[in-house]
Amino acid sequence: MGIALDGLSSGLDTTALINTLMQAEAIPQNILKNKVSATQTMISALQALNTKVADLAELTKKTAKPDSLQLFTTTSSSDAAKATAGSGAAPGSLDFKITQIAQAQVSVSAPITEWTESSFSITKADGSKVDITADSTSLDDVVRAINNSEAGVKAVKVSVGNGTYRLQFSAADTGAAGEFSISGAAGGALTQVKAAQDASVTLWSGTAAEQTVTSSSNTFEDLLPGVDITVAKVSDEPVTVTIARDEEAAGKVAKDLVDSLNGLFKFISGNSSVTSGADGATKAMIFTGDSTARDVNQRILSAATLPVNGKSPSEIGISINKSGTIDYDAEKFQAALAENPAVVEAALQEIASRINTAAAGLSDKYDGQITARIKGQESTMNRLGDQVMDWDRRLATRRATLEKTYAAMEVQLSSLNAQSSWLTSQLSSLPSTNSSS
């Protein structure tokens, strides 16, 4: 807390005078504070740049995969079946009849109040047995023991009135392999409600090549390469499943890559420009003349536009324009994809792979070039912050010194004023003398 000084003896506004002197003393600290602010702005800009480059690395990691353009649409002539195309699929179609739907065995007991015995067994379709031991013959204990076993059968107690119940047993999985039987069933043999059976389809029905294919579930995996077909009901008429290349989705993959590139280039360009104000003064943006931003732009741009196997990416609709961004020609890309899908896929994967290598190296959270620059700037800001704190202490000491100096001056002036007043009073008390001529 400052010492009250103003106008005690001198009449001077000593607080304002000290504040003015302190403003001059604080000029070096203000310069440091401006450097701290500028460094923080640079750190924020570099972090935003790093995020954009890291996002590009993640996108190109996916685009560089061999199946990134292996995108297909599937259609079915009937709601009895649907197809799902995945990796390894190819355009084509297949006709088949659905002759059987997969289902799980369901069996029920006679109306009972308790099980015959607490120890019994479940026999699987392959002849193996699973021994079951319940805590008692109560239906709840039997249900619990079966459900906790590894027999592949689930049990539930169903009330059928008059204090009696039926136990319903269901195979955990569909297909003939899930067939089971239970020994020691109370009330006699179990009644089978649903038989365990596989799904089956007949290919090339009515020809010499007729072939039946079965599946334990209602999904036939890889019936066509990379294509799973799921059946829902028996069909008397042939079902036709068609797989076609999804050109729109493939084009979106290429467009998303170009959009991500342009987002990065425009961010760097916008933060590297020099603008002129109405007064003619110029203002440089944060990345103006910055070597890191310039290097990022150049490395990513080169990775995106250099030839692939001696051919320019412009042949598949990806080209650099005079503004330093990338143009995407959707029609040219689709035409190239239709003419030679393998060449387009390989070219896009190579471009994406090169960009990924550059972007991942620049944005790596441990030793990336941008990361290293951010760490360097943070170190600089910490050092400048320490210097600002040192100046806080130095300026506080200087202010205290000035306040003491001016306080002492006021004391001295007060003392001099007191002496002056005493002398004046002494002089005025002296007797006056009249001289006569």
Side-chain angles (χ1 to χ4, degrees):
M1 185 174 180
I3 302 172
L5 303 171
D6 294 339
L8 291 176
S9 300
S10 65
L12 296 174
D13 187 349
T14 50
T15 297
L17 181 59
I18 290 174
N19 287 339
T20 300
L21 291 173
M22 289 306 301
Q23 288 176 1
E25 294 279 354
I27 289 175
Q29 186 191 45
N30 290 333
I31 293 174
L32 287 173
K33 288 180 177 179
N34 290 337
K35 288 182 178 179
V36 169
S37 178
T39 303
Q40 180 59 64
T41 301
M42 174 60 80
I43 291 172
S44 297
L46 288 170
Q47 288 172 334
L49 175 63
N50 201 49
T51 297
K52 288 186 174 294
V53 175
D55 289 345
L56 180 62
E58 187 62 28
L59 174 65
T60 52
K61 181 180 179 180
K62 298 175 182 177
T63 309
K65 292 181 178 180
D67 61 350
S68 63
L69 292 185
Q70 293 291 311
L71 304 170
F72 299 89
T73 59
T74 60
T75 57
S76 175
S77 63
S78 170
D79 61 359
K82 67 176 182 179
T84 304
S87 177
S93 65
L94 181 67
D95 296 336
F96 55 89
K97 284 185 177 181
I98 305 169
T99 54
Q100 189 167 278
I101 299 298
Q103 62 184 27
Q105 178 183 336
V106 178
S107 298
V108 296
S109 71
I112 53 177
T113 57
E114 65 176 342
W115 203 243
T116 304
E117 51 189 326
S118 60
S119 295
F120 53 94
S121 62
I122 296 177
T123 303
K124 297 183 178 182
D126 61 4
S128 62
K129 290 184 178 182
V130 177
D131 293 327
I132 306 294
T133 301
D135 291 339
S136 72
T137 57
S138 78
L139 299 183
D140 289 333
D141 284 343
V142 170
V143 167
R144 187 179 302 108
I146 291 175
N147 289 339
N148 290 337
S149 74
E150 297 181 356
V153 176
K154 296 301 179 183
V156 63
K157 185 177 74 170
V158 181
S159 174
V160 294
N162 298 322
T164 61
Y165 300 87
R166 285 191 172 199
L167 294 191
Q168 176 179 289
F169 305 95
S170 304
D173 300 314
T174 59
E179 187 178 9
F180 63 89
S181 62
I182 301 178
S183 68
L190 301 179
T191 300
Q192 190 178 86
V193 177
K194 285 185 180 180
Q197 65 182 33
D198 292 334
S200 64
V201 297
T202 301
L203 310 178
W204 313 294
S205 178
T207 72
E210 184 173 291
Q211 176 80 50
T212 297
V213 179
T214 62
S215 170
S216 61
S217 73
N218 285 319
T219 297
F220 293 79
E221 297 181 355
D222 290 332
L223 191 58
L224 291 172
V227 179
D228 295 341
I229 295 177
T230 301
V231 297
K233 61 184 178 181
V234 173
S235 65
D236 295 327
E237 297 297 323
V239 177
T240 301
V241 169
T242 303
I243 296 89
R245 187 177 293 278
D246 191 340
E247 296 179 352
E248 182 178 347
K252 186 176 185 302
V253 171
K255 185 178 184 303
D256 287 348
L257 173 60
V258 172
D259 287 346
S260 184
L261 286 167
N262 285 336
L264 173 63
F265 295 148
K266 289 178 181 178
F267 175 79
I268 295 174
S269 175
N271 285 283
S272 301
S273 60
V274 177
T275 59
S276 297
D279 58 355
T282 59
K283 178 183 178 182
M285 301 302 287
I286 189 67
F287 286 154
T288 302
D290 185 77
S291 60
T292 299
R294 185 170 58 249
D295 190 42
V296 169
N297 194 93
Q298 185 57 47
R299 289 176 63 181
I300 299 296
L301 186 62
S302 296
T305 58
L306 286 176
V308 178
N309 295 325
K311 295 184 177 181
S312 170
S314 62
E315 294 188 17
I316 63 170
I318 297 175
S319 58
I320 186 173
N321 58 41
K322 62 181 181 181
S323 67
T325 56
I326 306 294
D327 286 333
Y328 171 66
D329 188 329
E331 291 184 6
K332 196 169 186 178
F333 181 84
Q334 293 295 351
L337 186 63
E339 180 180 352
N340 197 331
V343 170
V344 175
E345 290 172 8
L348 191 65
Q349 288 160 16
E350 174 62 22
I351 292 170
S353 179
R354 293 188 315 209
I355 296 172
N356 178 260
T357 299
L362 288 164
S363 63
D364 185 86
K365 63 181 179 181
Y366 298 110
D367 56 7
Q369 181 179 342
I370 305 174
T371 303
R373 179 73 188 286
I374 291 172
K375 291 179 179 178
Q377 290 293 300
E378 288 174 339
S379 177
T380 297
M381 189 173 70
N382 290 336
R383 186 173 63 254
L384 290 172
D386 291 340
Q387 293 179 26
V388 168
M389 291 179 64
D390 287 342
W391 268 98
D392 283 339
R393 292 187 287 269
R394 186 182 304 179
L395 291 172
T397 300
R398 179 58 176 159
R399 176 177 286 277
T401 299
L402 288 172
E403 288 176 346
K404 289 179 180 179
T405 299
Y406 280 95
M409 180 191 73
E410 292 293 339
V411 171
Q412 291 295 325
L413 285 174
S414 177
S415 176
L416 291 173
N417 286 336
Q419 291 180 12
S420 174
S421 297
W422 181 82
L423 288 173
T424 301
S425 64
Q426 291 298 314
L427 290 173
S428 63
S429 65
L430 293 173
S432 58
T433 56
N434 293 323
S435 58
S436 58
S437 54

